């Protein structure tokens, strides 16, 4: 459900301000996810500068990595981003609704059978990685007269989607003949976050060789991490995704990106337990002293992974309570977690206070380490029960909406 951000009237004729709507939403929210659109734009500009003279696109798939495809698309477009990548046709429809008609939208998952007309209706471009897809696309273009473009995806080592290099070479006569409708040739790096991976140089060599044969067609190889492999990897267009949203694209060095998300959850109870008492499912965490616990309304149903819990032999993740890091006690459950606040002053944490799960020094990448995963999965798993606030001059700073399941 979206919380109204324009003034409206109740049945009694009273004016309800956006601020009142926001306050009402936040007062009843058990968790609040704040997304800084200015930080996303700043990250895009930093990546754009690193890739000059290549064009810098924006990857907004998976609901803009959990940050909201429409506000993110609008913010990036206002900053000058002209090309966008999504994963599915549904995501393309959501992006098109937020973007100007001049924006190019590529759909990475390719062309599903009998879907060509749907692409044409919203003027988006399939990323074709199979000769059967290409044949179907050609038939559609010939019969309909539609002149919209498509990308050719060439597999240089991922072994996922894409034409083989040999199959791509077979398209060169078509490229030389003109009127081919191919607006981009691209591939995808396997190990771009590992600077010295030998796979990077092998993929670069293979892609450079085949892309050079696609005369007059722009080429693209690099994701966020690929940009930092240097100019040889950047070609005509770069496609940053996770870096836009604050995930470190250079894990062997300090993170050059600004943090984008701040996540808070509410304390619903303060309780004390005695030495020897256990906490949570399985009773795997035992109090070694009289312990004060804050019970926080967030769990794995909200995207806070069960792996971040603790036991008697392993310390788990931490959250920030009243400005101080405090450890999680016991397992994360579906809706709740317990936090050991014994070392805080007695009245520092109270029922109703918010604690910080991401922010105040806790990064997406740190949390990913505790989850046993990567920052991409942390962001795209952020739950549907959080209220959302978008801040920054590039978005609706006063907008607060109760997060609904992503439609893309």
């Amino acid at each position: 459900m979206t919380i109204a951000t324009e003034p409206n009237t109740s049945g009694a004729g009273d004016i309800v301000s956006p601020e009142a709507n926001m306050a009402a939403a936040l007062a009843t929210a058990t968790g609040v996810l704040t997304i800084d659109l200015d930080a996303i734009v700043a990250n895009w500009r930093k990546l754009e500068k690193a890739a000059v003279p290549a064009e810098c696109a924006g990857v907004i798939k998976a609901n803009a990595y959990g940050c909201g495809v429409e506000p993110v698309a609008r913010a990036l477009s206002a900053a000058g981003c002209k090309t966008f990548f999504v994963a599915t046709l549904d995501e393309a429809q959501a992006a098109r609704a937020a973007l100007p008609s001049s924006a190019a939208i590529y759909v990475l998952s390719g062309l599903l059978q009998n879907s060509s007309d749907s692409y044409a209706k919203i003027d988006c471009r399939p990323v074709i990685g199979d000769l059967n897809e290409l044949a179907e696309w050609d038939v559609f273009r010939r019969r309909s007269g539609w002149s919209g473009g498509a990308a050719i995806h060439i597999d240089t080592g991922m072994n996922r989607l894409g034409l083989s290099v040999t199959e791509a070479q077979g398209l060169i006569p078509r490229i030389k003949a003109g009127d081919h409708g191919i607006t981009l040739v691209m591939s995808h790096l396997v190990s771009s976050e590992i600077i010295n991976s030998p796979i990077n140089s092998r993929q670069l060599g293979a892609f450079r060789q085949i892309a050079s044969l696609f005369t007059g067609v722009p080429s693209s190889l690099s994701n966020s991490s690929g940009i930092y492999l240097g100019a040889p990897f950047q070609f005509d267009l770069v496609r940053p995704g996770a870096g836009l949203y604050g995930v470190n694209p250079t894990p062997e060095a300090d993170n050059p990106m600004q943090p984008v998300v701040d996540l808070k959850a509410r304390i619903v109870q303060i309780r004390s337990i005695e030495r020897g008492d256990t906490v949570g499912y399985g009773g795997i965490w035992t109090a070694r002293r009289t312990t004060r616990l804050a019970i926080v309304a967030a769990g794995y149903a909200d995207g806070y992974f069960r792996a971040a819990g603790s036991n008697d032999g392993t310390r788990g993740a931490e959250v920030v309570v009243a400005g101080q890091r405090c450890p999680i006690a016991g397992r994360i459950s579906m809706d709740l977690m317990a936090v050991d606040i014994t070392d805080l002053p007695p009245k520092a944490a109270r029922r109703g206070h918010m604690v910080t799960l991401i922010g105040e020094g806790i990064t997406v990448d740190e949390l990913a380490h505790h989850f046993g995963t990567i920052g991409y999965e942390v962001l795209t798993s952020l739950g549907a029960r959080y209220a959302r606030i978008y801040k920054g001059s590039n978005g609706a700073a006063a907008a607060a909406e109760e997060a609904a399941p992503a439609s893309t």
Side-chain angles (χ1 to χ4, degrees):
M1 181 181 69
T2 301
I3 305 299
T5 57
E6 296 295 331
N8 59 78
T9 59
S10 68
D14 298 327
I15 298 295
V16 181
S17 69
E19 293 78 10
N21 278 310
M22 183 190 299
L26 298 184
T28 58
T30 55
V32 177
L33 177 65
T34 301
I35 298 158
D36 188 340
L37 295 173
D38 280 354
I40 293 175
V41 167
N43 290 338
W44 179 79
R45 286 179 172 150
K46 189 175 187 71
L47 292 159
E48 180 190 37
K49 184 176 180 180
V52 168
E55 180 188 350
C56 188
V59 179
I60 54 173
K61 63 180 180 175
N63 199 31
Y65 286 61
C67 292
V69 64
E70 292 185 8
V72 170
R74 286 193 294 265
L76 289 175
S77 178
C81 185
K82 295 179 173 59
T83 303
F84 298 83
F85 288 82
V86 297
T88 68
L89 188 57
D90 284 347
E91 290 179 351
Q93 290 170 338
R96 177 55 74 203
L99 291 169
S101 59
S102 58
I105 301 172
Y106 287 94
V107 182
L108 291 163
S109 293
L111 184 71
L112 296 179
Q113 286 181 305
N114 304 314
S115 64
S116 299
D117 185 60
S118 297
Y119 284 83
K121 283 179 179 178
I122 60 171
D123 189 18
C124 67
R125 304 174 183 182
V127 177
I128 292 173
D130 179 87
L131 292 179
N132 292 320
E133 292 179 21
L134 184 58
E136 184 172 337
W137 183 248
D138 283 343
V139 169
F140 169 75
R141 291 181 76 244
R142 185 171 62 252
R143 290 178 175 175
S144 68
W146 194 68
S147 59
I152 293 295
H153 184 177
I154 301 171
D155 178 32
T156 57
M158 182 70 80
N159 287 314
R160 201 174 54 178
L161 298 177
L163 276 64
S164 69
V165 171
T166 300
E167 289 173 330
Q169 288 172 336
L171 302 182
I172 302 309
R174 170 194 180 129
I175 298 299
K176 291 181 178 179
D179 190 29
H180 47 71
I182 305 304
T183 53
L184 185 71
V185 57
M186 58 175 281
S187 190
H188 197 79
L189 291 166
V190 173
S191 301
S192 57
E193 72 281 3
I194 304 172
I195 294 175
N196 296 318
S197 172
I199 300 176
N200 293 331
S201 58
R202 291 201 298 268
Q203 287 192 271
L204 175 62
F207 184 67
R208 180 189 287 135
Q209 184 175 8
I210 187 63
S212 68
L213 301 178
F214 280 70
T215 306
V217 179
S219 52
S220 177
L221 178 63
S222 286
N223 56 2
S224 298
S225 295
I227 292 170
Y228 287 95
L229 292 176
F233 288 83
Q234 293 167 1
F235 292 88
D236 300 302
L237 178 84
V238 295
R239 315 186 304 269
L244 297 176
Y245 309 101
V247 174
N248 188 359
T250 59
E252 297 180 11
D254 291 340
N255 190 353
M257 303 290 102
Q258 293 186 22
V260 168
V261 300
D262 179 277
L263 178 60
K264 290 179 168 54
R266 197 177 300 277
I267 297 173
V268 292
Q269 188 180 105
I270 304 289
R271 62 188 302 126
S272 294
I273 61 173
E274 299 300 320
R275 183 177 183 272
D277 288 346
T278 63
V279 176
Y281 285 115
I284 60 173
W285 188 93
T286 307
R288 299 180 181 180
R289 57 181 174 171
T290 300
T291 300
R292 284 188 301 127
L293 297 173
I295 309 303
V296 177
Y300 58 77
D302 303 295
Y304 200 94
F305 289 19
R306 192 168 180 263
S310 63
N311 57 50
D312 288 338
T314 304
R315 187 180 179 95
E318 297 174 327
V319 304
V320 177
V321 186
Q324 182 173 321
R325 284 188 176 229
C326 297
I328 291 172
R331 283 183 172 151
I332 306 295
S333 55
M334 184 179 291
D335 314 304
L336 299 166
M337 68 176 73
V339 179
D340 185 348
I341 59 169
T342 310
D343 293 332
L344 294 181
K347 296 184 179 180
R350 298 181 181 179
R351 173 175 170 255
H353 284 184
M354 288 287 192
V355 307
T356 300
L357 309 183
I358 302 174
E360 296 188 66
I362 299 175
T363 66
V364 169
D365 292 300
E366 177 186 335
L367 206 54
H369 171 75
H370 287 291
F371 288 179
T373 186
I374 54 177
Y376 299 62
E377 190 174 10
V378 174
L379 288 172
T380 56
S381 298
L382 293 176
R385 296 188 290 194
Y386 300 129
R388 293 191 175 210
I389 298 174
Y390 289 94
K391 71 174 186 178
S393 59
N394 291 286
E401 63 180 37
E402 188 176 345
S407 60
T408 57

